[in-house]
Amino acid sequence: MVTVGPGLLSGLISTFLSLRKAYEAVISDLEVPILWELSNIMAVKRLKYNDHGPVHAHIAAGAALITFHLLVKKGVTPSLIKD
């Protein structure tokens, strides 16, 4: 069983070199933290939703990658490869 939380992505990043490089490229981009803050201003402060900043981004990315790996493990071919 997978526990979904902020640490999920860091576990996956340490396993896959190409994923770690992509993550580092995103994190080092100067606009990313600003966009996360703007997302939180709209979602949390204005609309009274829950977090949509960096914590939410890490949790959602980790959950998406786990789902992707489960699908590939069961024989689903990603459309990027199939097409």
Side-chain angles (χ1 to χ4, degrees):
M1 175 177 241
V2 175
T3 302
V4 176
L8 180 61
L9 186 59
S10 62
L12 294 168
I13 289 170
S14 65
T15 307
F16 300 98
L17 177 62
S18 58
L19 180 58
R20 184 172 62 236
K21 286 182 179 181
Y23 175 79
E24 289 170 357
V26 169
I27 294 302
S28 66
D29 188 314
L30 297 176
E31 291 182 10
V32 170
I34 296 167
L35 292 171
W36 280 336
E37 179 60 29
L38 292 173
S39 295
N40 262 347
I41 289 170
M42 179 57 78
V44 177
K45 293 180 181 175
R46 294 182 183 164
L47 299 174
K48 307 297 184 203
Y49 291 169
N50 59 352
D51 177 69
H52 275 69
V55 173
H56 174 79
H58 281 81
I59 292 171
L65 286 168
I66 289 294
T67 302
F68 173 77
H69 287 295
L70 289 171
L71 289 168
V72 169
K73 191 175 180 179
K74 291 293 183 178
V76 175
T77 303
S79 61
L80 181 66
I81 293 170
K82 186 172 77 174
D83 297 339

Coordinates of all heavy atoms in Angstrom, one line a residue:
M1 N 0.8 -1.2 0.0 CA 0.0 0.0 0.0 C 0.9 1.2 0.0 O 1.9 1.3 0.7 CB -0.9 0.0 1.2 CG -1.7 1.2 1.4 SD -2.9 1.2 2.7 CE -4.4 1.3 1.9
V2 N 0.5 2.2 -0.7 CA 1.2 3.5 -0.9 C 0.6 4.5 0.0 O -0.7 4.7 0.0 CB 1.2 4.0 -2.3 CG1 1.8 5.3 -2.4 CG2 1.8 3.0 -3.2
T3 N 1.4 5.2 0.8 CA 0.9 6.3 1.6 C 1.1 7.6 0.9 O 2.2 7.9 0.5 CB 1.6 6.4 3.0 OG1 1.4 5.1 3.7 CG2 1.1 7.5 3.8
V4 N 0.0 8.3 0.5 CA 0.1 9.5 -0.2 C 0.3 10.7 0.7 O -0.4 10.8 1.7 CB -1.2 9.7 -1.0 CG1 -1.1 11.1 -1.8 CG2 -1.4 8.6 -2.0
G5 N 1.4 11.4 0.5 CA 1.7 12.5 1.3 C 2.9 13.3 0.7 O 3.4 12.9 -0.4
P6 N 3.3 14.4 1.3 CA 4.4 15.2 0.8 C 5.7 14.5 0.5 O 6.4 14.9 -0.4 CB 4.6 16.3 1.8 CG 3.3 16.3 2.6 CD 2.8 14.9 2.6
G7 N 6.0 13.4 1.2 CA 7.2 12.7 1.0 C 7.2 11.7 -0.1 O 8.2 11.1 -0.5
L8 N 6.1 11.4 -0.7 CA 5.9 10.4 -1.7 C 6.8 10.7 -3.0 O 7.5 9.9 -3.5 CB 4.5 10.3 -2.2 CG 4.2 9.3 -3.3 CD1 4.5 7.9 -2.8 CD2 2.7 9.3 -3.6
L9 N 6.8 12.0 -3.4 CA 7.6 12.4 -4.6 C 9.1 12.2 -4.3 O 9.8 11.7 -5.2 CB 7.2 13.8 -5.0 CG 7.8 14.3 -6.3 CD1 7.4 13.4 -7.4 CD2 7.4 15.7 -6.5
S10 N 9.6 12.6 -3.2 CA 11.0 12.5 -2.9 C 11.5 11.0 -2.9 O 12.6 10.8 -3.4 CB 11.3 13.1 -1.5 OG 10.7 12.4 -0.5
G11 N 10.7 10.1 -2.5 CA 11.0 8.7 -2.6 C 11.2 8.2 -4.1 O 12.1 7.5 -4.4
L12 N 10.3 8.7 -4.9 CA 10.3 8.4 -6.3 C 11.5 9.0 -7.0 O 12.1 8.4 -7.9 CB 9.0 8.8 -7.0 CG 7.8 8.0 -6.6 CD1 6.5 8.7 -7.1 CD2 7.8 6.6 -7.1
I13 N 11.8 10.3 -6.7 CA 12.9 11.0 -7.3 C 14.2 10.3 -7.0 O 15.1 10.3 -7.9 CB 12.9 12.5 -6.8 CG1 11.7 13.2 -7.3 CG2 14.2 13.2 -7.1 CD1 11.5 14.6 -6.7
S14 N 14.4 9.8 -5.8 CA 15.6 9.1 -5.5 C 15.8 7.8 -6.3 O 16.9 7.3 -6.4 CB 15.7 8.9 -4.0 OG 14.7 7.9 -3.6
T15 N 14.8 7.3 -6.8 CA 14.8 6.0 -7.6 C 15.1 6.2 -9.0 O 15.8 5.3 -9.6 CB 13.5 5.3 -7.4 OG1 13.1 5.2 -6.0 CG2 13.5 3.9 -8.0
F16 N 14.7 7.2 -9.7 CA 14.8 7.4 -11.1 C 15.6 8.7 -11.4 O 15.2 9.8 -11.1 CB 13.4 7.5 -11.8 CG 12.6 6.3 -11.5 CD1 11.6 6.3 -10.5 CD2 12.7 5.2 -12.3 CE1 10.8 5.2 -10.3 CE2 11.9 4.1 -12.1 CZ 11.0 4.1 -11.1
L17 N 16.8 8.5 -12.1 CA 17.7 9.6 -12.4 C 17.0 10.6 -13.3 O 17.1 11.8 -13.0 CB 19.0 9.1 -13.0 CG 20.0 10.1 -13.5 CD1 20.5 10.9 -12.3 CD2 21.1 9.5 -14.2
S18 N 16.3 10.2 -14.3 CA 15.7 11.1 -15.3 C 14.6 11.9 -14.6 O 14.4 13.1 -14.8 CB 15.1 10.4 -16.5 OG 14.2 9.4 -16.1
L19 N 13.9 11.3 -13.7 CA 12.9 12.0 -12.9 C 13.5 13.0 -12.0 O 13.0 14.2 -11.9 CB 12.0 11.0 -12.1 CG 10.9 11.6 -11.3 CD1 9.9 12.4 -12.1 CD2 10.2 10.5 -10.6
R20 N 14.6 12.7 -11.4 CA 15.3 13.6 -10.5 C 15.8 14.8 -11.3 O 15.6 16.0 -10.8 CB 16.4 12.9 -9.8 CG 17.1 13.9 -8.8 CD 18.2 13.2 -7.9 NE 19.2 12.6 -8.6 CZ 19.6 11.4 -8.6 NH1 19.0 10.5 -7.8 NH2 20.6 10.9 -9.3
K21 N 16.3 14.6 -12.5 CA 16.8 15.7 -13.3 C 15.6 16.6 -13.7 O 15.8 17.9 -13.7 CB 17.5 15.2 -14.5 CG 18.8 14.6 -14.3 CD 19.5 14.2 -15.6 CE 20.9 13.6 -15.3 NZ 21.5 13.2 -16.5
A22 N 14.5 16.0 -14.0 CA 13.3 16.9 -14.4 C 12.8 17.6 -13.2 O 12.5 18.8 -13.3 CB 12.2 16.0 -15.0
Y23 N 12.8 17.0 -12.1 CA 12.3 17.7 -10.8 C 13.3 18.8 -10.5 O 12.8 19.9 -10.2 CB 12.3 16.7 -9.7 CG 12.0 17.3 -8.3 CD1 10.7 17.6 -8.0 CD2 13.0 17.5 -7.4 CE1 10.4 18.2 -6.8 CE2 12.7 18.1 -6.2 CZ 11.4 18.4 -5.9 OH 11.1 19.0 -4.7
E24 N 14.6 18.6 -10.6 CA 15.5 19.7 -10.3 C 15.4 20.8 -11.3 O 15.5 22.0 -10.9 CB 16.9 19.1 -10.3 CG 17.2 18.2 -9.1 CD 18.5 17.4 -9.2 OE1 19.2 17.5 -10.2 OE2 18.8 16.7 -8.2
A25 N 15.1 20.6 -12.5 CA 14.9 21.6 -13.5 C 13.7 22.5 -13.1 O 13.7 23.7 -13.2 CB 14.7 21.0 -14.9
V26 N 12.6 21.8 -12.7 CA 11.4 22.5 -12.3 C 11.6 23.4 -11.1 O 11.3 24.5 -11.0 CB 10.2 21.6 -12.1 CG1 9.0 22.2 -11.5 CG2 9.8 20.9 -13.4
I27 N 12.2 22.7 -10.1 CA 12.4 23.4 -8.8 C 13.4 24.6 -8.9 O 13.3 25.6 -8.3 CB 13.0 22.4 -7.7 CG1 11.9 21.4 -7.4 CG2 13.4 23.1 -6.5 CD1 10.6 22.0 -6.9
S28 N 14.4 24.5 -9.8 CA 15.4 25.6 -10.0 C 14.8 26.7 -10.8 O 15.4 27.8 -10.9 CB 16.6 25.0 -10.6 OG 16.4 24.6 -11.9
D29 N 13.7 26.6 -11.5 CA 13.1 27.6 -12.3 C 12.5 28.7 -11.3 O 11.8 28.4 -10.4 CB 11.9 27.0 -13.1 CG 11.3 28.1 -14.1 OD1 11.1 29.2 -13.7 OD2 11.1 27.7 -15.2
L30 N 12.9 29.9 -11.6 CA 12.6 31.0 -10.7 C 11.1 31.3 -10.6 O 10.6 31.9 -9.7 CB 13.3 32.3 -11.0 CG 14.9 32.2 -10.9 CD1 15.5 33.5 -11.4 CD2 15.3 31.9 -9.5
E31 N 10.3 30.9 -11.7 CA 8.9 31.2 -11.7 C 8.1 30.2 -11.0 O 7.0 30.6 -10.6 CB 8.4 31.3 -13.2 CG 9.0 32.4 -14.0 CD 8.5 32.4 -15.4 OE1 7.5 31.7 -15.7 OE2 9.0 33.2 -16.2
V32 N 8.5 29.0 -10.8 CA 7.7 28.0 -10.1 C 7.2 28.4 -8.7 O 6.0 28.3 -8.5 CB 8.4 26.6 -10.2 CG1 7.7 25.6 -9.3 CG2 8.6 26.1 -11.6
P33 N 8.1 28.8 -7.8 CA 7.6 29.2 -6.5 C 6.6 30.3 -6.5 O 5.7 30.4 -5.7 CB 8.9 29.6 -5.7 CG 10.0 29.2 -6.5 CD 9.6 28.9 -7.9
I34 N 6.8 31.2 -7.5 CA 5.9 32.4 -7.6 C 4.5 31.9 -8.1 O 3.5 32.3 -7.6 CB 6.5 33.4 -8.6 CG1 7.8 34.0 -8.0 CG2 5.5 34.5 -8.9 CD1 8.6 34.8 -9.0
L35 N 4.5 31.0 -9.0 CA 3.3 30.4 -9.5 C 2.6 29.6 -8.4 O 1.3 29.7 -8.3 CB 3.5 29.5 -10.8 CG 4.0 30.3 -12.0 CD1 4.4 29.3 -13.1 CD2 2.9 31.2 -12.5
W36 N 3.3 28.9 -7.6 CA 2.7 28.2 -6.5 C 2.1 29.1 -5.5 O 1.0 28.9 -5.0 CB 3.7 27.3 -5.8 CG 4.0 26.0 -6.5 CD1 3.2 25.3 -7.3 CD2 5.2 25.2 -6.3 NE1 3.8 24.2 -7.7 CE2 5.0 24.1 -7.2 CE3 6.4 25.4 -5.6 CZ2 6.0 23.1 -7.3 CZ3 7.3 24.4 -5.7 CH2 7.1 23.3 -6.5
E37 N 2.8 30.2 -5.2 CA 2.2 31.2 -4.3 C 1.0 31.9 -4.9 O 0.0 32.1 -4.2 CB 3.3 32.3 -4.0 CG 2.8 33.4 -3.1 CD 2.3 32.9 -1.7 OE1 2.8 31.9 -1.2 OE2 1.4 33.5 -1.1
L38 N 1.0 32.2 -6.2 CA -0.2 32.8 -6.8 C -1.4 31.8 -6.8 O -2.5 32.2 -6.6 CB 0.1 33.2 -8.2 CG 1.1 34.4 -8.4 CD1 1.5 34.6 -9.8 CD2 0.5 35.6 -7.8
S39 N -1.1 30.5 -7.0 CA -2.1 29.5 -6.9 C -2.8 29.5 -5.5 O -4.0 29.3 -5.4 CB -1.6 28.1 -7.2 OG -1.1 28.0 -8.5
N40 N -1.9 29.6 -4.5 CA -2.5 29.6 -3.2 C -3.3 30.9 -2.9 O -4.2 30.8 -2.1 CB -1.3 29.4 -2.1 CG -1.2 28.0 -1.7 OD1 -2.1 27.2 -1.9 ND2 -0.1 27.7 -1.0
I41 N -2.8 32.0 -3.4 CA -3.6 33.2 -3.2 C -5.0 33.0 -3.8 O -6.0 33.4 -3.1 CB -2.9 34.4 -3.9 CG1 -1.6 34.8 -3.1 CG2 -3.8 35.6 -3.9 CD1 -0.8 35.8 -3.7
M42 N -5.1 32.5 -5.0 CA -6.4 32.3 -5.6 C -7.2 31.3 -4.8 O -8.4 31.5 -4.5 CB -6.3 31.9 -7.1 CG -7.6 31.7 -7.8 SD -8.8 33.1 -7.7 CE -8.1 34.1 -8.9
A43 N -6.6 30.1 -4.6 CA -7.4 29.0 -4.1 C -7.7 29.1 -2.6 O -8.8 29.0 -2.1 CB -6.6 27.7 -4.3
V44 N -6.7 29.5 -1.8 CA -6.8 29.5 -0.3 C -7.4 30.8 0.1 O -8.4 30.8 0.9 CB -5.5 29.2 0.3 CG1 -5.6 29.3 1.9 CG2 -4.9 27.8 -0.1
K45 N -6.8 31.9 -0.3 CA -7.2 33.2 0.3 C -8.5 33.7 -0.3 O -9.4 34.2 0.4 CB -6.1 34.2 0.1 CG -4.9 33.9 0.9 CD -3.8 35.0 0.7 CE -2.5 34.6 1.5 NZ -1.4 35.5 1.2
R46 N -8.7 33.5 -1.6 CA -9.9 34.0 -2.2 C -11.1 33.1 -2.3 O -12.2 33.4 -2.0 CB -9.6 34.5 -3.7 CG -8.6 35.7 -3.7 CD -8.4 36.1 -5.1 NE -7.4 37.2 -5.1 CZ -6.7 37.6 -6.1 NH1 -6.9 37.1 -7.3 NH2 -5.9 38.6 -6.0
L47 N -10.8 31.8 -2.6 CA -11.9 30.8 -2.8 C -12.1 29.9 -1.6 O -13.0 29.1 -1.5 CB -11.6 29.9 -4.0 CG -11.5 30.7 -5.3 CD1 -11.1 29.7 -6.5 CD2 -12.8 31.3 -5.7
K48 N -11.2 30.1 -0.6 CA -11.3 29.3 0.7 C -11.2 27.8 0.5 O -11.8 27.0 1.2 CB -12.6 29.6 1.4 CG -12.9 31.1 1.7 CD -11.8 31.7 2.6 CE -12.2 33.1 2.8 NZ -11.1 34.0 3.2
Y49 N -10.4 27.4 -0.6 CA -10.1 26.0 -0.8 C -8.9 25.6 0.1 O -8.3 26.5 0.7 CB -9.7 25.8 -2.3 CG -10.8 25.9 -3.3 CD1 -10.5 25.9 -4.6 CD2 -12.1 26.0 -2.9 CE1 -11.5 26.1 -5.6 CE2 -13.2 26.2 -3.8 CZ -12.8 26.2 -5.1 OH -13.8 26.3 -6.1
N50 N -8.5 24.4 0.0 CA -7.3 23.9 0.7 C -6.1 24.3 -0.1 O -6.1 24.8 -1.2 CB -7.4 22.4 1.0 CG -7.5 21.6 -0.3 OD1 -7.7 22.1 -1.4 ND2 -7.4 20.3 -0.1
D51 N -4.9 23.9 0.4 CA -3.6 24.2 -0.2 C -3.5 23.8 -1.7 O -3.9 22.7 -2.1 CB -2.5 23.5 0.6 CG -1.1 23.8 0.0 OD1 -0.7 24.9 0.0 OD2 -0.5 22.9 -0.6
H52 N -3.0 24.7 -2.5 CA -2.7 24.4 -3.9 C -1.3 24.9 -4.3 O -1.0 25.2 -5.4 CB -3.8 25.1 -4.8 CG -5.0 24.2 -5.0 ND1 -5.9 24.0 -4.0 CD2 -5.5 23.5 -6.0 CE1 -6.9 23.2 -4.4 NE2 -6.6 22.9 -5.6
G53 N -0.5 25.0 -3.3 CA 0.9 25.5 -3.5 C 1.8 24.3 -3.6 O 1.5 23.2 -4.2
P54 N 3.1 24.4 -3.1 CA 4.1 23.4 -3.3 C 3.7 22.1 -2.7 O 4.0 21.0 -3.2 CB 5.3 24.0 -2.7 CG 4.9 25.1 -1.9 CD 3.6 25.6 -2.4
V55 N 3.1 22.1 -1.5 CA 2.7 20.8 -0.9 C 1.7 20.0 -1.7 O 1.9 18.8 -2.0 CB 2.2 21.1 0.6 CG1 1.6 19.8 1.2 CG2 3.2 21.7 1.5
H56 N 0.7 20.7 -2.2 CA -0.3 20.1 -3.1 C 0.4 19.6 -4.4 O 0.1 18.5 -4.8 CB -1.4 21.1 -3.4 CG -2.4 20.6 -4.4 ND1 -3.4 19.8 -4.1 CD2 -2.5 20.8 -5.7 CE1 -4.1 19.5 -5.2 NE2 -3.6 20.1 -6.2
A57 N 1.3 20.4 -4.9 CA 2.0 20.0 -6.2 C 2.8 18.7 -6.0 O 2.8 17.8 -6.8 CB 2.8 21.1 -6.7
H58 N 3.5 18.6 -4.8 CA 4.3 17.4 -4.5 C 3.4 16.2 -4.3 O 3.7 15.1 -4.8 CB 5.2 17.7 -3.3 CG 6.4 18.5 -3.6 ND1 6.4 19.8 -3.7 CD2 7.7 18.1 -3.9 CE1 7.6 20.3 -4.0 NE2 8.4 19.2 -4.1
I59 N 2.3 16.4 -3.6 CA 1.4 15.2 -3.3 C 0.8 14.8 -4.6 O 0.7 13.6 -4.9 CB 0.3 15.6 -2.3 CG1 1.0 15.8 -0.9 CG2 -0.8 14.6 -2.2 CD1 0.1 16.4 0.1
A60 N 0.3 15.7 -5.4 CA -0.4 15.4 -6.7 C 0.6 14.7 -7.7 O 0.2 13.7 -8.3 CB -1.0 16.6 -7.3
A61 N 1.8 15.2 -7.8 CA 2.8 14.6 -8.7 C 3.2 13.2 -8.2 O 3.3 12.3 -9.1 CB 4.0 15.5 -8.7
G62 N 3.4 13.1 -6.9 CA 3.7 11.7 -6.4 C 2.6 10.7 -6.7 O 2.8 9.6 -7.1
A63 N 1.3 11.1 -6.4 CA 0.2 10.2 -6.6 C 0.1 9.9 -8.1 O -0.2 8.7 -8.5 CB -1.1 10.9 -6.1
A64 N 0.3 10.9 -9.0 CA 0.2 10.6 -10.4 C 1.3 9.7 -10.9 O 1.0 8.8 -11.7 CB 0.3 11.9 -11.2
L65 N 2.5 9.8 -10.4 CA 3.6 8.9 -10.8 C 3.3 7.5 -10.3 O 3.6 6.5 -11.0 CB 4.9 9.4 -10.2 CG 5.4 10.6 -11.0 CD1 6.6 11.3 -10.2 CD2 5.9 10.2 -12.4
I66 N 2.8 7.3 -9.0 CA 2.5 6.0 -8.5 C 1.4 5.4 -9.4 O 1.5 4.2 -9.8 CB 2.0 6.1 -7.1 CG1 3.2 6.4 -6.2 CG2 1.3 4.8 -6.6 CD1 4.3 5.3 -6.1
T67 N 0.4 6.1 -9.8 CA -0.7 5.6 -10.6 C -0.1 5.2 -12.0 O -0.5 4.1 -12.5 CB -1.8 6.7 -10.8 OG1 -2.3 7.1 -9.5 CG2 -2.9 6.2 -11.7
F68 N 0.7 6.0 -12.5 CA 1.4 5.7 -13.8 C 2.2 4.4 -13.7 O 2.0 3.5 -14.6 CB 2.3 6.8 -14.2 CG 3.1 6.5 -15.4 CD1 2.6 6.6 -16.7 CD2 4.5 6.2 -15.3 CE1 3.3 6.3 -17.8 CE2 5.3 5.9 -16.4 CZ 4.7 6.0 -17.7
H69 N 3.0 4.2 -12.7 CA 3.7 3.0 -12.5 C 2.9 1.8 -12.3 O 3.2 0.7 -12.9 CB 4.7 3.1 -11.3 CG 5.9 4.0 -11.6 ND1 6.8 3.8 -12.6 CD2 6.2 5.2 -11.1 CE1 7.7 4.7 -12.6 NE2 7.4 5.7 -11.7
L70 N 1.8 1.9 -11.6 CA 0.8 0.8 -11.5 C 0.2 0.4 -12.8 O 0.1 -0.8 -13.1 CB -0.3 1.1 -10.4 CG 0.2 1.2 -9.0 CD1 -0.9 1.8 -8.1 CD2 0.6 -0.1 -8.5
L71 N -0.2 1.4 -13.6 CA -0.8 1.1 -14.9 C 0.3 0.4 -15.8 O -0.1 -0.6 -16.5 CB -1.3 2.3 -15.5 CG -2.5 2.9 -14.9 CD1 -2.8 4.3 -15.4 CD2 -3.7 2.0 -15.1
V72 N 1.5 0.9 -15.8 CA 2.5 0.3 -16.7 C 2.8 -1.1 -16.2 O 3.0 -2.1 -17.1 CB 3.8 1.2 -16.7 CG1 5.0 0.4 -17.3 CG2 3.5 2.5 -17.4
K73 N 2.9 -1.3 -14.9 CA 3.1 -2.7 -14.4 C 2.0 -3.7 -14.8 O 2.3 -4.9 -14.9 CB 3.2 -2.6 -12.8 CG 3.7 -3.8 -12.1 CD 3.8 -3.5 -10.6 CE 4.3 -4.7 -9.9 NZ 4.4 -4.4 -8.4
K74 N 0.8 -3.2 -15.0 CA -0.3 -4.1 -15.4 C -0.4 -4.2 -16.9 O -1.4 -4.8 -17.4 CB -1.6 -3.5 -14.8 CG -1.7 -3.7 -13.3 CD -1.8 -5.1 -12.9 CE -2.0 -5.3 -11.4 NZ -2.1 -6.6 -11.0
G75 N 0.5 -3.6 -17.6 CA 0.5 -3.8 -19.1 C 0.0 -2.7 -19.9 O -0.1 -2.8 -21.1
V76 N -0.4 -1.6 -19.3 CA -1.0 -0.5 -20.0 C 0.2 0.3 -20.7 O 1.2 0.6 -20.1 CB -1.7 0.5 -19.1 CG1 -2.2 1.7 -19.9 CG2 -2.9 -0.2 -18.5
T77 N 0.1 0.5 -22.0 CA 1.2 1.2 -22.7 C 0.8 2.7 -22.8 O -0.3 3.0 -23.3 CB 1.3 0.7 -24.2 OG1 1.6 -0.7 -24.1 CG2 2.4 1.4 -24.9
P78 N 1.7 3.6 -22.3 CA 1.4 5.0 -22.3 C 1.2 5.5 -23.7 O 1.9 5.0 -24.7 CB 2.6 5.6 -21.7 CG 3.3 4.5 -20.9 CD 2.9 3.2 -21.6
S79 N 0.3 6.4 -24.0 CA 0.0 6.9 -25.3 C 1.3 7.6 -25.9 O 1.4 7.5 -27.1 CB -1.1 7.9 -25.3 OG -0.9 9.0 -24.5
L80 N 2.1 8.1 -25.1 CA 3.4 8.8 -25.6 C 4.2 7.7 -26.3 O 4.8 8.0 -27.3 CB 4.1 9.4 -24.5 CG 5.4 10.1 -24.9 CD1 5.1 11.3 -25.7 CD2 6.2 10.6 -23.6
I81 N 4.2 6.5 -25.8 CA 5.0 5.4 -26.4 C 4.2 4.8 -27.5 O 4.8 4.6 -28.6 CB 5.4 4.4 -25.3 CG1 6.4 5.0 -24.3 CG2 6.0 3.1 -26.0 CD1 6.6 4.1 -23.1
K82 N 2.9 4.6 -27.3 CA 2.1 3.9 -28.3 C 2.0 4.8 -29.6 O 2.0 4.2 -30.7 CB 0.7 3.6 -27.7 CG -0.2 2.8 -28.6 CD -1.4 2.4 -27.9 CE -2.4 3.6 -27.8 NZ -3.7 3.3 -27.2
D83 N 1.8 6.0 -29.5 CA 1.5 6.9 -30.6 C 2.8 7.4 -31.2 O 2.9 7.8 -32.3 CB 0.7 8.1 -30.2 CG -0.7 7.8 -29.7 OD1 -1.1 6.7 -30.0 OD2 -1.3 8.6 -29.0

